[in-house]
Amino acid sequence: MNVKPDFSKGHNLAETAPAFLSVWNMEAYYGESYIVQNISFNVHEGEILALLGRNGAGKTSTLRSIARMDNPQVTKGEIWLDHQPLHKMKSYEAAQAGIGLVPEDRSIIPGLTVEENLQLAQIAPPVGWSLDRLYDLFPRLGERRKQEGVTLSGGEQQMLAIARALARDIKVLLLDEPYEGLAPVIVDEIEKTLRIIKEQGITTILVEQNAVRALELADRSVILDTGSVVFDGSAKEVLSNAELRAEYLAI
Amino acid sequence: MGILEVKNVNKRFGGLKALSEVNLSIAENSVHAIIGPNGAGKSTLLNVLVGKLIPDTGSVLFDGQSVLGRTPYEINQMGISRVFQTPEIFGDLSVMENMMIACFAKRDGAFTMQAIGSMMKERDIVEKAEQMLDSMNLADKRGMHSASMSRGDKRRLEIAMCLAQEPRLLLLDEPTAGMARADTNNTIDLLKKIKQDRDITIAIIEHDMHVVFSLAERITVLAQGTPLVEDTPENIKGHPKVREAYLGETQVAA
Amino acid sequence: MDAIILQILNGLDKGSAYALIALGLTLIFGTLGVVNFAHGALFMIGAFCAVTLSKLFNLSFETLDPTKKDFLGNPLKVKTPYVQEWFGPDVGAWLIDWSVPLAILFSIPIMVAIGFVMERGLIKHFYKRPHADQILVTFGLAIVLQEIIKSNFGANPVPTPAPEVFRGSFDFGVLLGFDPNVIIYPYWRMVYFAFAAVIIGGVFAFLQFTTFGMVVRAGMADRATVGLLGINIDKRFTIMFGLAAAVAGLAGVMYAPINSPNYHMGMDFLVLSFVVVVVGGMGSLPGAVAAGFLLGILESFASMNEVKSVIPGIDQIIIYLVAIVILLARPRGLMGRKGVMED
Amino acid sequence: FTNEPTGGTVTLGFNVPQSGPYADEGADELRAFELAVEHLNGEGGGGMMNTFSSKALKGNGIMGKKVQYVTGDTQTKSDAARASAKSMIEKDGAIMISGGSSSGVAVAVQGLCQEAGVIFMAGLTHSNDTTGKDKKANGFRHFFNAYMSAAALAPVLEKLYGTDRQAYHLTADYTWGWTQQESIQAATEAMGWKTVNNVLTPLAQTDFSSYIAPVINSGADVLVLNHYGGNMVNSLTNAVQFGLREKQVNGKNFEIVVPLYSELMAKGAGQNIKGIVGSQNWDWKLEDDGTKAFVKAFGEKYGFPPSQAAQTCYAQTLLYADAVERAGSFNPCAVGEALAGYEFDGLGNGPTLYRADDHQCFKDVLVVRGAENPQDEFHLVEIVEVTPVEQVTYDPEHPMFAGGNLGECNPGA
Amino acid sequence: MLGLNRKDTAILLVVAALAIFAPIILNLFPARSELAFFNAGYPDLMQRFVIFGIFAIGFNILFGLTGYLSFGHAAFLGVGSYAAVWMFKLLNYNVVPAILLSIVVAGLFSVVIGWISLRRSGIYFSILTLAFAEMSYRLAYSVLTPLTNGETGLQVYTDDPQVLMQAGGHIVPHLFGLEMRAREVIDVGPWQFVFPVGYYLCAILMLVSFYISIRIFRSPFGLMLRAIKSNQTRMTYTGLNPKPYTLAAFVISGMYAGLAGGLLASMDPLAGAERMQWTASGEVVIMTILGGAGTLIGPILGAGTIKYLENVFSKMNEGLLHKWFAFLPDWVESPVIWVVSKFTGEGWHLMLGGLFMLVIIALPGGLVEGGQRIMRLFGRKPKAETRTSTEPAE
Ligand SMILES: Nc1ncnc2c1ncn2[C@@H]1O[C@H](COP(=O)(O)OP(=O)(O)OP(=O)(O)O)[C@@H](O)[C@H]1O
Ligand SMILES: Nc1ncnc2c1ncn2[C@@H]1O[C@H](COP(=O)(O)OP(=O)(O)OP(=O)(O)O)[C@@H](O)[C@H]1O
Ligand SMILES: [Mg+2]
Ligand SMILES: [Mg+2]
């Protein structure tokens, strides 16, 4: 197992952070319930990190905390992205700093067409891929550009959500179960896309139930259980460690 | 003659033909999977079956009776229950209350006026609700505010609610999406068990081929609003067109 | 015929008042989803901006005129407005005469500021609260604002005339080939109509030709996600509120010469404006405007003797009757968007 | 009897509109009540007590008991007014209730006082019904009524505008509006005017344009606005906007008449009131001694002259106190008896009679007109004529007043 | 007890005790003291407390459980009152037929209005109910005057038929001879307590209404109503038809309103049209929210608070303030009075508006939440009252 990241150098993570994105001693609550329980991990620039764990382990909550959403509320800890203190930001500031989240429920905005959903992502700087380029990647969205986003089929919505994240110039892509509800062929497509994204130098955190698939793609993996990190190491290590797989991933 | 007979159903959304000339027959007491690419019209077809959408043309017979023109709750009372693609539960209520509502609906029908009846007297309802929660591994969450459960739990609750209604036809729209592997397996087992214990027909939409091939007795592949093929799982697995349009290269083992 | 044309004019005029108020309300209520019972109060404050400016221009110093007596038999105090003293009698008189149009300029910063303060200080905390809580808090605010105006200006209406040149009426009939004096219409009401058209056009243009409207709509549907896309939605909501307050205020300023402002005029218009917005359909600006004009015109026709003699009391209830019919015929009013305030 | 004062004090209840459109009127009434209490208790200059023909009041309270008062808000709603009056009677032990600024409230509270067994001295209420079909033995009205307005106005209108006129009525669609319209129509038709139309307008109306517009081509040359308060201010403003005041019809100047006037309405209507004729119960510019004394006392205390509502409430308070003194008892029945058929002078408007048959006051009525060039904000209206009391007196069984029953006085439990 | 669990029984008993001893509790201050001003224990106000309590309890069944916000409930109160007064006019002053008819008539009215309005939801529903109520109000004020006596309000005249009236019969509302306005006055030292008959009739009916409301909250029916509020889609796909449930809730709350209206008329036989105005509908909405929508006891608290302010603060005039603050030196007294007078007497609306804002900002759950916080301060942890838990008994 990998050595836990060393934070002993003190508070000034801006200078000392060993990684591109650092989460340090983060705690978060939904109202009174303590969900994210003192989590620390690092992500290096350009890598894909698979964040795994059972239902309710706190994966979504961790991603939402990093994206600085109102819920859950982070009460303690620090989050640094490329020397910027995310933990001091609101969600829109974090987004401008380079965080892009694809939420698990996709959060397509009702009342807006496919195209408007994408345009919306390009209002605030920094802007990423052009609409044309996105439609090239997802031709299906190009065909449906005038349709109201929420009437898309489940899989189409997933494509839209990913496209929307790419429409912004992001440094870190947070993907919450991107394969869910997608036809196997499309999953292959998306996986290819993720590799393309990786080639562009974008860092990715991938949450996925299909652990094997995720681990095959990922460089490293963090496993959560009831709100705490139980493993932090290379993806291969998980694949080869049957005990770990059985206990936390049921595979 | 199947328990569900869909004949020549068409549905358009503006210029888009979401369903065209769909014919489908589901045999009683079978597990029938509907698969197909994203946007093929699978959920739309379910919407037609439960009365959420009215088809432009065609007919839908459940047990010989037409479901068209009936409201969703009437269709449900006929014996069709549905699990949605994104969980629909009573978020403001506790898990137990969610279950009890489903049990009441089963016992008392679409409307009864028990305005001052006491819930404490409804032993049978309470017992049944608890039993269902147990079977779905939700017992320890019975008092929980259901909106604040994780999504996998919400989905399990919704399945439990539908099962509590003891439907003759259960429609599942991607029931295991987002579920951890272990729970997916549990769900498969549960569905199998229910299938054994009582007469029930299950129609399932799923992109997880593991689930599909573990459960389905017959599979219909839908593409661009039309059934491409209908066959046994074995034949579907090997069908070249299906592999090309849907399964892709990697996904066979699962 | 002339009677009908007159009533159409009346309807358009009433309609423009309704449409303007409903426009401002729908920005907050239909777009931001906040049930704002204080909107009428904003309208009222707008009208009192006109009153205040005219009072300011009329601020006077007193000199004693021993030839006349006041009501207690003491020498009469004669008042001369400062503006007349400072700028000469002509300019001073002109300022006083033109105080209502000038109040437009005066009111915009005030109303925008009120809108900002209201949103930042109060409404902000209520976006996620149930509508009922919004009702209670904005209703409380409306009462407070109303009472503040009452304690400063009294309960009685305060006459606030239009400039002299707009006081007469215009012979409209002659234009259409009628005899003189058959269809005449007050100048100021025509000004109001034109003003409403400009404001409505301006707001539409702002929301249509910029992405602002889309962003706010999106923000209302799903604040969190819009934030994820790097957009500071709070700021835009605040601007939207300021805009709505300004629209309400301007509607009030211009309304002052039509009917003397009083402290409860906001409440008088409140229910009506909600009805207009809902009949127009939640979330639809064109709907609100269309419903405003529709109800204005129908109300005018319902008050015709020919109609009243057939159905007594129809003018009392026409607005509500039409509202019921429209809402039953069309689930979301004239042009409502799906899912806005339907739960 | 109910609420017999026991200690050294007696409590009166002043129930006035403090919220809603008539709040200013209510505030003025309250000022007058406070002034009256001051005078009754021997503070201040004594005001009209000095000019009042009865000398029973000594400035030592009422029957030696110091006068206290409680106030409440009628909200100009009959329900709220009754609730407020009840609290005065049940909780504070008020033995007399006075005030109010509309007929609906007056009738409702009068009915309540009758049931509860206290005296009601009506404030501003102008409907014929208050002392007509809704009259009560325990209730007394000092204000004039719609019939009297019409009777006073008709001769003046004849003099000013001639007998050949076509009148168009706009009427507030509720009881007071109807009685007002009925009265003025009868009086003007009696002198030869024709009634072209009578249009009922909703109470909640704020913009009257769609009711005014049809007047233009109706052939009418007089517009009668049977409106009060905000309705009147708006309908008059709208009528002037439509150029009715400058209009010529049938070769005559178009005229607007507002049967019931008040200073506050004149103020609200601003310049639109110029030259418009109407009637008033009282005006501070009257020259009699009572008026002068009252205006002086009020003006010195508050800095502006009193309104007719204020004068009514002040007079009502003194009248009640005086009746108690004369009766030698607070018993409502004794007080009622002392008031019924009582003739007095010195409270403004000259000699006055509280008629026993219906408890309506009879005195001179003023016809007034909006001043063309007011010297200050207190001179917005000028007195055109003081119509003598004989001309406005009517038979108690007059059809517009018939149907009621004074009933027995009720002293309460 | 009575088919209620322990907690609900406790709530019911507390409310019952408060209602029974209200004449004492509300007259906390000796009758002749300065503070007697703040007493609320006189018949009319006590009756209003419980009557508007009934109104708000009923409203809460609809709004608190289903989330359907009716803005026209005052119409049912109004027709209830009219129905009751008409019974007085036609039969005699016995309150029993009056109250029964007022419930029935309001029930019929609400069936019609509810049946139409419930075709829409959300704000569209609110506006439909508002439209019906405003139409009723406006017609009652003008065109329907023969039926309603318009502006003045419907009242009983001596020449009314009153067919059941015997010579020398009661000429005020009574319950089989027991006059509503009869009262027992008891002096205890400097205190004075009034025990009015009418109040106790209202209080008993309020307790019955409250009991029924608890039962509804805890019944399967109540569960269904909360399900409607939570997710109508799930409801229909669970085979339940939301419409009859909401309609039943609507009619029940309409009948509560009718009962309140009938009682108002029975305590004071006059029915004014303003009872149906939108402001009156708004008032019950505000009572419910102020107290705590969806809680059992909240509506009663809200109704009491608003009626208390309306009747007590509006009576606080400057004369009184001068008396109270006379102990202050003049230069302090004047500014203090100036400030206080803005919130009392003719400024009492300012107090009301300010209170609404304050309560809802500081206590999102209304007064009930305030009560819970106080309880927590005292160390006891009461379970969140009734808002969610309908756990069946173990
Ligand atoms: N809005 C909320 N309020 C309260 N608790 C919540 C809320 N959302 C989630 N939780 C709780 O937080 C815990 C972690 O949830 P989270 O959604 O982060 O899990 P997850 O790992 O993403 O699970 P899944 O695989 O099911 O998506 C769960 O126990 C859940 O019940
Ligand atoms: N209300 C609607 N308006 C317009 N188009 C719609 C609507 N509902 C669905 N569609 C379109 O119809 C097509 C079929 O959608 P459907 O949801 O049935 O797909 P699906 O087979 O369930 O796909 P998935 O597996 O991705 O859930 C899609 O292209 C979708 O965009
Ligand atoms: Mg998750
Ligand atoms: Mg689907």
Side-chain angles (χ1 to χ4, degrees), chain D residues 6 18-19 71 73 75 78-79 82-83 86-87 90-92 104 107 115 134 173-175 178 203-204, chain E residues 37 39 42-44 48 138 142 145 151-152 157 181 268 270 274-275 310 314-315 317 345-346 348-349:
Chain D
T6 45
Q18 298 189 326
S19 50
T71 61
D73 185 6
Q75 305 179 38
S78 36
D79 261 353
R82 270 169 90 112
K86 276 194 162 183
S87 112
E90 294 178 351
K91 174 174 161 190
D92 307 307
V107 170
E115 284 160 27
D134 289 317
D173 195 0
Y174 61 91
T175 333
W178 303 337
L203 173 71
Chain E
F37 179 83
N39 282 343
Y42 61 96
D44 185 61
R48 265 166 218 277
R138 290 176 171 223
S142 59
T145 297
E151 183 204 11
T152 313
Y157 291 106
R181 68 176 187 195
D268 182 4
L270 172 127
E274 302 97 4
R275 265 174 213 180
E310 178 177 341
S314 68
K315 290 177 68 185
N317 54 44
E346 58 182 30
W348 71 274
H349 268 111

Side-chain angles (χ1 to χ4, degrees), chain E residues 39-358:
Chain E
N39 282 343
Y42 61 96
D44 185 61
L45 187 54
M46 291 193 293
Q47 284 155 9
R48 265 166 218 277
F49 282 162
V50 288
I51 292 173
F52 281 90
I54 293 175
F55 189 19
I57 292 170
F59 184 78
N60 194 37
I61 292 176
L62 177 68
F63 174 60
L65 288 178
T66 68
Y68 275 77
L69 179 57
S70 161
F71 241 92
H73 254 53
F76 308 128
L77 183 95
V79 296
S81 292
Y82 282 128
V85 177
W86 269 110
M87 287 316 261
F88 296 148
K89 285 168 88 76
L90 295 177
L91 304 179
N92 67 6
Y93 270 118
N94 194 335
V95 296
V96 172
I99 291 174
L100 288 180
L101 190 75
S102 63
I103 298 175
V104 170
V105 171
L108 292 176
F109 239 71
S110 49
V111 169
V112 175
I113 294 182
W115 191 77
I116 297 175
S117 304
L118 284 167
R119 300 166 69 116
R120 298 288 173 263
S121 61
I123 189 73
Y124 297 104
F125 166 81
S126 302
I127 293 292
L128 280 173
T129 49
L130 171 83
F132 279 111
E134 269 297 285
M135 289 201 325
S136 313
Y137 159 64
R138 290 176 171 223
L139 293 178
Y141 213 92
S142 59
V143 182
L144 296 181
T145 297
L147 213 60
T148 61
N149 206 21
E151 183 204 11
T152 313
L154 189 65
Q155 43 185 323
V156 185
Y157 291 106
T158 39
D159 55 356
D160 282 328
Q162 299 203 296
V163 291
L164 296 183
M165 184 72 122
Q166 288 133 1
H170 296 269
I171 52 159
V172 289
H174 62 90
L175 179 72
F176 301 111
L178 193 58
E179 285 194 1
M180 287 298 117
R181 68 176 187 195
R183 60 196 62 165
E184 197 61 48
V185 180
I186 294 176
D187 288 291
V188 181
W191 281 274
Q192 187 176 58
F193 303 118
V194 185
F195 298 89
V197 171
Y199 167 74
Y200 279 102
L201 175 69
C202 298
I204 290 168
L205 289 174
M206 188 272 279
L207 287 174
V208 173
S209 313
F210 186 57
Y211 170 72
I212 294 176
S213 131
I214 301 181
R215 290 295 300 258
I216 289 177
F217 266 63
R218 301 293 181 240
S219 69
F221 175 71
L223 179 63
M224 295 304 171
L225 296 183
R226 288 190 294 133
I228 287 172
K229 182 177 182 174
S230 180
N231 188 343
Q232 285 216 27
T233 310
R234 190 17 85 201
M235 180 116 184
T236 45
Y237 291 103
T238 308
L240 294 162
N241 183 0
K243 181 88 187 265
Y245 284 105
T246 36
L247 184 59
F250 192 89
V251 174
I252 291 173
S253 71
M255 288 162 74
Y256 269 73
L259 169 64
L263 283 175
L264 271 181
S266 302
M267 297 304 113
D268 182 4
L270 172 127
E274 302 97 4
R275 265 174 213 180
M276 310 213 268
Q277 209 180 349
W278 75 268
T279 42
S281 297
E283 193 179 53
V284 71
V285 175
I286 283 172
M287 285 171 178
T288 310
I289 311 168
L290 188 73
T295 62
L296 283 172
I297 206 169
I300 307 179
L301 287 181
T305 309
I306 289 183
K307 285 293 148 194
Y308 183 78
L309 286 181
E310 178 177 341
N311 283 278
V312 175
F313 277 77
S314 68
K315 290 177 68 185
M316 227 181 257
N317 54 44
E318 280 194 39
L320 271 175
L321 295 180
H322 276 289
K323 238 177 10 191
W324 292 343
F325 292 112
F327 67 92
L328 292 171
D330 264 0
W331 59 273
V332 187
E333 186 191 349
S334 318
V336 167
I337 289 186
W338 185 83
V339 171
V340 175
S341 68
K342 293 281 171 221
F343 292 90
T344 55
E346 58 182 30
W348 71 274
H349 268 111
L350 190 58
M351 157 78 93
L352 200 67
L355 180 91
F356 292 167
M357 292 175 66
L358 219 80

Side-chain angles (χ1 to χ4, degrees), chain B residues 40-54:
Chain B
K42 304 180 295 293
S43 300
T44 306
L45 178 61
L46 283 207
N47 286 343
V48 166
L49 300 186
V50 297
K52 190 174 181 188
L53 286 176
I54 298 165

Side-chain angles (χ1 to χ4, degrees), chain C residues 2 7 10 14 69 71 150 155-157 159 167 182 184 189 257-260 263-264 303 305 308 315-316, chain D residues 18 20-21 24 168 173 197 199-200 206-207 209-211 213 217 234 238 241 264 267-268 271 284 304 375:
Chain C
D2 46 301
Q7 293 302 5
N10 273 325
K14 269 185 203 177
K69 303 249 171 271
F71 73 99
K150 179 183 163 198
N156 214 34
R167 257 176 247 170
V182 171
I184 56 172
R189 285 175 182 263
I258 293 185
N259 280 319
S260 311
Y263 84 104
H264 55 90
S303 57
N305 301 326
K308 285 185 60 156
D315 51 337
Q316 301 259 13
Chain D
Q18 298 189 326
D24 279 2
Y168 193 109
D173 195 0
N197 212 335
V199 177
L200 300 177
T206 51
D207 184 354
S209 59
S210 53
Y211 297 93
N217 299 318
N234 288 349
N238 294 165
Q241 270 163 14
L264 281 166
K267 216 165 141 191
Q271 307 191 338
W284 67 268
F304 46 83
Q375 65 162 0

Side-chain angles (χ1 to χ4, degrees), chain D residues 116-345:
Chain D
V118 301
I119 290 287
F120 177 62
M121 303 295 282
L124 203 152
T125 158
H126 187 247
S127 166
N128 290 346
D129 293 349
T130 313
T131 48
K133 81 182 198 339
D134 289 317
K135 57 182 169 260
K136 291 278 150 46
N138 283 27
F140 295 87
R141 165 156 74 174
H142 184 262
F143 209 66
F144 68 154
N145 59 36
Y147 175 90
M148 293 157 95
S149 280
L153 271 173
V156 179
L157 293 179
E158 181 173 359
K159 204 156 53 187
L160 290 174
Y161 308 139
T163 53
D164 178 25
R165 282 284 184 168
Q166 314 280 326
Y168 193 109
H169 290 254
L170 288 184
T171 304
D173 195 0
Y174 61 91
T175 333
W176 169 77
W178 303 337
T179 63
Q180 174 64 72
Q181 195 277 333
E182 187 188 17
S183 304
I184 195 99
Q185 176 171 352
T188 50
E189 282 183 353
M191 68 193 195
W193 287 19
K194 307 234 160 21
T195 305
V196 180
N197 212 335
N198 172 34
V199 177
L200 300 177
T201 62
L203 173 71
Q205 198 69 32
T206 51
D207 184 354
F208 287 85
S209 59
S210 53
Y211 297 93
I212 299 284
V215 179
I216 299 171
N217 299 318
S218 64
D221 47 27
V222 175
L223 173 64
V224 183
L225 297 174
N226 299 302
H227 288 146
Y228 188 69
N231 273 353
M232 178 266 164
V233 169
N234 288 349
S235 66
L236 179 60
T237 306
N238 294 165
V240 174
Q241 270 163 14
F242 273 82
L244 289 184
R245 215 169 43 187
E246 291 93 43
K247 205 172 152 64
Q248 301 269 321
V249 180
N250 311 331
K252 303 184 194 92
N253 276 332
F254 194 97
E255 304 293 348
I256 303 174
V257 178
V258 176
L260 176 59
Y261 237 74
S262 86
E263 301 82 346
L264 281 166
M265 278 154 43
K267 216 165 141 191
Q271 307 191 338
N272 302 313
I273 201 81
K274 283 182 184 170
I276 309 276
V277 173
S279 70
Q280 266 185 208
N281 187 49
W282 176 85
D283 189 275
W284 67 268
K285 294 186 263 337
L286 281 172
E287 289 292 325
D288 61 284
D289 291 341
T291 299
K292 281 192 195 149
F294 179 51
V295 173
K296 184 157 181 299
F298 191 98
E300 278 170 357
K301 182 159 179 177
Y302 299 112
F304 46 83
S307 65
Q308 61 177 346
Q311 188 265 349
T312 304
C313 291
Y314 181 90
Q316 287 285 62
T317 315
L318 291 199
L319 278 169
Y320 171 78
D322 174 67
V324 174
E325 292 280 0
R326 286 186 293 112
S329 161
F330 283 98
N331 186 327
C333 286
V335 176
E337 213 168 292
L339 276 171
Y342 183 49
E343 276 184 85
F344 56 91
D345 196 357

